[in-house]
Amino acid sequence: MDPALRFKDSEPRIHPTAELKSCRLGRYAIVGERVILREVTVGDFSYFERHAEAIYTTIGKFCSIAANTRINALEHPIERLTTHKLTYRPNEYFRYLGVNQEFKARRKAKPVTIGNDVWIGHGAVIMPGVTIGNGAVVGANAVVTRDVAPYEIVAGVPARNKRLRFAPEIIVRIEALAWWDWQLDRLADAIPDMQAMPIEAFLDRWENRAD
């Protein structure tokens, strides 16, 4: 089939109310209503629902980020006299005083890294420096303060392990398959099997399939 007929336009879709600064968006990425992104890389097919925020973050492919989430939530300098932004963004109040570069560098030194096929639930907060592995799930309103392993499901405040999505041997096979890096035609061909087949049967069919 002619790719022009099979595939829709791959340009990212950005809602007119969203605010982006120094971001890179992959193919088919979607940024929803009133989302705010600062220095964020978003992989192919990943999307942000409304009112989400992220800064200093790298996001893989096929990630589903729900509404009202906060990724790399701002920390405040609790060791200073005041935690108020007066000391790190005095330019908002006074002339001749710029952004505190030391504090900015401290923030940028704690990026968040999110793998592929990660689902972040409604209202979740991801704290600075956290890494979330491929296929992980973060429950609604969770506060993630530590790294999340691939295919781990976490929830709560602070977020704690609930279970794995699949048995460890299945996780190894999915990671090796790396379906998120497939060409579009292979991906489209696989969707009916993704919809209908148990995970082990899907892996059996697609691990060694030659297209």
Side-chain angles (χ1 to χ4, degrees):
M1 182 183 293
D2 183 350
L5 298 176
R6 189 177 199 189
F7 304 121
K8 293 187 174 182
D9 184 359
S10 65
E11 283 297 307
R13 302 204 306 262
I14 304 171
H15 194 278
T17 62
E19 298 180 22
L20 282 69
K21 181 179 179 182
S22 301
C23 295
R24 290 186 296 169
L25 305 181
R27 298 173 302 166
Y28 299 100
I30 301 173
V31 179
E33 180 182 357
R34 299 190 184 281
V35 169
I36 300 175
L37 304 180
R38 298 286 187 268
E39 299 190 36
V40 174
T41 298
V42 182
D44 297 348
F45 292 91
S46 291
Y47 63 88
F48 280 86
E49 296 286 4
R50 63 196 179 280
H51 304 291
E53 296 185 31
I55 188 170
Y56 309 139
T57 298
T58 300
I59 297 167
K61 302 173 184 178
F62 298 93
C63 290
S64 308
I65 301 173
N68 300 317
T69 51
R70 185 78 183 270
I71 301 176
N72 206 343
L74 178 66
E75 63 175 347
H76 290 251
I78 60 175
E79 77 284 357
R80 294 181 180 179
L81 174 67
T82 176
T83 59
H84 192 275
K85 63 182 176 180
L86 175 78
T87 69
Y88 56 88
R89 289 207 295 267
N91 56 303
E92 295 186 16
Y93 307 100
F94 304 107
R95 297 185 180 91
Y96 317 118
L97 290 172
V99 172
N100 180 215
Q101 295 302 316
E102 177 187 355
F103 186 73
K104 183 178 180 179
R106 188 169 102 183
R107 287 280 292 124
K108 294 183 74 171
K110 298 178 181 179
V112 167
T113 302
I114 297 173
N116 304 291
D117 187 33
V118 173
W119 172 21
I120 298 179
H122 183 101
V125 176
I126 314 300
M127 298 303 290
V130 166
T131 295
I132 299 178
N134 294 328
V137 175
V138 176
N141 298 311
V143 177
V144 183
T145 60
R146 61 163 185 85
D147 291 352
V148 179
Y151 293 89
E152 182 181 10
I153 299 174
V154 300
V157 182
R160 300 187 186 280
N161 173 272
K162 297 300 180 181
R163 62 182 178 88
L164 293 175
R165 284 178 59 192
F166 304 109
E169 60 272 19
I170 296 296
I171 292 172
V172 170
R173 293 173 68 184
I174 297 172
E175 295 267 55
L177 191 67
W179 63 267
W180 41 80
D181 291 329
W182 287 357
Q183 296 296 319
L184 289 178
D185 53 355
R186 181 179 175 88
L187 182 65
D189 288 344
I191 288 174
D193 286 348
M194 290 182 182
Q195 294 169 333
M197 299 181 73
I199 185 63
E200 290 186 69
F202 179 89
L203 291 168
D204 289 341
R205 173 174 290 184
W206 286 89
E207 280 170 332
N208 300 308
R209 176 165 168 163
D211 291 323

